[in-house]
Amino acid sequence: MNTPGSKQPSWFPRPPSWLSRPILVLALIIMSFVQYPSDHPFPIQNLPYGVFSTDTQPATRPGVAIGDFILDLAALSQTEHWAKSPVKASIFQTANLDAFVALEPEDWAAFRAFLTSILSPSSPLKANADAVLVPRTAASTHLHLPINIGDYTDFYASYEHAFNAGVLIRGPANALQPNWKHLPVGYHGRASSIVVSGTPFHRPTGQILDKPTDKQPIFAPCRKLDYELETAFVGRKHIFGMVLMNDWSARDIQTWEYVPLGPFLSKNFCTTIAPWIVTPAALEPFKVKQYEHDPALLPYLDDPEGYNYAVPLHLEIKTAESEAYSHVSTSSMQHTYYTFAQMIAHHSATGCNLRPSDMMGSGTLSAPGNSDAPNDGALGSLLERSRLGREPFELNEGRKDMTWLRDGDSVRITGVAKGEGYSIGFGECEGTVLPAWAGA
């Protein structure tokens, strides 16, 4: 997709053009008794859900981020303030958000209205808020996976990424496979390998080719470790919310194993997600029209009111030699050729019984390049950024030959959408590469 005033990186042929038409939504400016600056990522307009624990109360429990605090929903459910809640207290007296995610959209909407009221400046909760507000950034507060993820599917839904990767692998004439514009391509991932932001992981080991011309593989640590700038969503028939995601990828293991059944060990070792689930209600003002499809999709994928979200996504790398993160890429949640609704429709078309706490990834989100940075600032993977490792780039003063991730490197993804007088943030999705297991 080429948006007005932008262009594809100079080293890729120009793909077809579509226009992304914004949907303007007016948002009421509401306030809370919890104080925070106007650009804080967790204002009352956001209210993302997560799961946390503390040193003094190690049991995990659901909460909502508001400013620099977490509203402890388990604690709140045991107070007199819960009398006006449209949701039973037992829903949040659990270790995760599964029971709440399993409810219906009208329940989510009613509870969001309750939260907005209970956190408003005139709320009676203000008098004893210390009993239910936990410092979010304190060392004694720990964030966990928000749901018990039953199944995980990752799609390949960004036109820009699919086209760019295809050019590098097969050339411009065959960049996209024949099926790509007809269905949301995806693969079944490994739910047990999904970890919360801040969890380090070991470099994977598997079969790779020592040299590209080799016919006999070796068993060795991955040499081409990559990140994938993604988002993911939770939901069954209806989408409960979205999180940031990094689907780490072992490109050399992937190259050897993917024929004929696609990714396997190259994707099953670690997937990192941010701890906060941001709801569609919070993202309503940032809707943009979906891509135009040429050729037209089959009727079961029709989504005439379809939309994506214009949420900027930033990716940074901190090397083992550096104390600071270096900016690498800025993309957007809107760069999906297929909407989340279309992904659900296709996933369930065969009768697949999706469950409320299943998670589905968007696939790597690359954006069109621009005239200021035609070769770098819009790409969601090192595969694209280094052109399959053939063209090292300067990350910072300490690393002028960046191609793939090295031991000790940390990758951080953030996403913040700017509204009228407020911001909607997704928190951080961060992970660090540890050396391969000893003896691998």
Side-chain angles (χ1 to χ4, degrees):
M1 170 181 169
N2 288 314
T3 54
S6 67
K7 65 179 183 179
Q8 276 284 355
S10 58
W11 41 278
F12 291 131
R14 186 180 296 272
S17 295
W18 300 283
L19 290 179
S20 183
R21 299 182 297 276
I23 303 173
L24 299 179
V25 179
L26 297 178
L28 294 176
I29 303 302
I30 50 180
M31 302 180 68
S32 170
F33 67 79
V34 178
Q35 298 297 301
Y36 47 78
S38 60
D39 61 348
H40 199 287
F42 297 140
I44 196 170
Q45 290 88 349
N46 192 349
L47 302 179
Y49 293 95
V51 164
F52 74 103
S53 66
T54 60
D55 288 348
T56 56
Q57 293 181 274
T60 62
R61 53 204 187 272
V64 167
I66 176 70
D68 288 333
F69 295 90
I70 299 173
L71 177 63
D72 186 335
L73 295 178
L76 181 65
S77 71
Q78 300 179 59
T79 69
E80 68 277 9
H81 304 290
W82 199 262
K84 294 184 178 180
S85 170
V87 173
K88 293 180 180 178
S90 59
I91 292 292
F92 292 110
Q93 294 171 357
T94 57
N96 54 44
L97 288 163
D98 287 4
F100 186 54
V101 174
L103 298 181
E104 296 299 324
E106 52 267 31
D107 300 311
W108 304 334
F111 190 73
R112 179 179 174 85
F114 165 72
L115 289 176
T116 301
S117 175
I118 205 72
L119 289 168
S120 68
S122 60
S123 170
L125 179 64
K126 183 178 179 179
N128 59 343
D130 289 347
V132 294
L133 289 178
V134 176
R136 180 174 52 84
T137 58
S140 58
T141 301
H142 312 286
L143 300 176
H144 305 271
L145 288 177
I147 57 174
N148 180 26
I149 302 168
D151 276 303
Y152 158 55
T153 297
D154 198 18
F155 287 94
Y156 186 48
S158 165
Y159 176 89
E160 289 75 17
H161 172 67
F163 185 85
N164 294 345
V167 168
L168 289 167
I169 296 169
R170 293 180 295 275
N174 300 297
L176 296 180
Q177 299 285 12
N179 65 346
W180 197 91
K181 286 190 176 181
H182 294 274
L183 57 86
V185 174
Y187 73 93
H188 193 97
R190 185 70 186 174
S192 64
S193 298
I194 299 178
V195 299
V196 73
S197 176
T199 307
F201 67 96
H202 289 273
R203 179 178 296 273
T205 301
Q207 287 195 21
I208 63 174
L209 294 180
D210 189 34
K211 296 183 291 297
T213 57
D214 286 354
K215 303 298 182 184
Q216 176 66 31
I218 62 172
F219 187 74
C222 163
R223 300 172 184 174
K224 298 180 179 180
L225 185 60
D226 201 353
Y227 55 75
E228 292 193 351
L229 171 62
E230 300 194 34
T231 60
F233 62 94
V234 178
R236 182 173 48 184
K237 293 180 295 183
H238 304 283
I239 295 170
F240 173 74
M242 278 71 72
V243 299
L244 301 179
M245 187 173 85
N246 185 345
D247 186 35
W248 308 89
S249 298
R251 299 301 187 188
D252 44 1
I253 297 175
Q254 184 177 3
T255 300
W256 174 245
E257 75 175 3
Y258 85 99
V259 178
L261 295 181
F264 181 30
L265 302 184
S266 59
K267 299 280 193 174
N268 76 351
F269 58 94
C270 185
T271 298
T272 303
I273 65 170
W276 298 107
I277 302 178
V278 178
T279 65
L283 296 175
E284 186 75 15
F286 309 102
K287 285 181 177 179
V288 292
K289 286 292 292 182
Q290 72 173 119
Y291 285 32
E292 295 177 9
H293 297 96
D294 183 17
L297 300 177
L298 294 178
Y300 80 99
L301 289 174
D302 273 349
D303 188 11
E305 303 301 320
Y307 52 85
N308 300 311
Y309 297 104
V311 178
L313 304 173
H314 303 280
L315 186 140
E316 305 165 289
I317 297 177
K318 182 174 68 174
T319 66
E321 308 84 20
S322 175
E323 294 295 325
Y325 274 93
S326 299
H327 178 265
V328 179
S329 179
T330 297
S331 185
S332 172
M333 190 183 291
Q334 75 186 79
H335 296 298
T336 55
Y337 187 79
Y338 297 95
T339 66
F340 294 148
Q342 288 168 329
M343 296 178 204
I344 291 176
H346 184 65
H347 199 311
S348 58
T350 57
C352 176
N353 54 327
L354 301 180
R355 292 171 293 191
S357 291
D358 288 352
M359 181 169 286
M360 301 181 208
S362 62
T364 304
L365 297 173
S366 292
N370 57 67
S371 57
D372 296 325
N375 291 343
D376 50 19
L379 305 175
S381 67
L382 287 173
L383 179 149
E384 298 164 86
R385 182 69 174 82
S386 70
R387 303 192 217 180
L388 285 177
R390 298 165 188 159
E391 295 193 11
F393 63 94
E394 181 175 343
L395 177 65
N396 52 40
E397 286 299 317
R399 186 173 302 174
K400 299 179 182 293
D401 59 344
M402 185 72 191
T403 51
W404 307 105
L405 295 172
R406 305 177 192 178
D407 293 348
D409 287 354
S410 298
V411 177
R412 180 172 68 187
I413 300 171
T414 55
V416 178
K418 302 289 186 180
E420 291 293 331
Y422 68 97
S423 298
I424 300 295
F426 281 73
E428 294 185 353
C429 177
E430 189 244 11
T432 300
V433 182
L434 301 177
W437 292 104

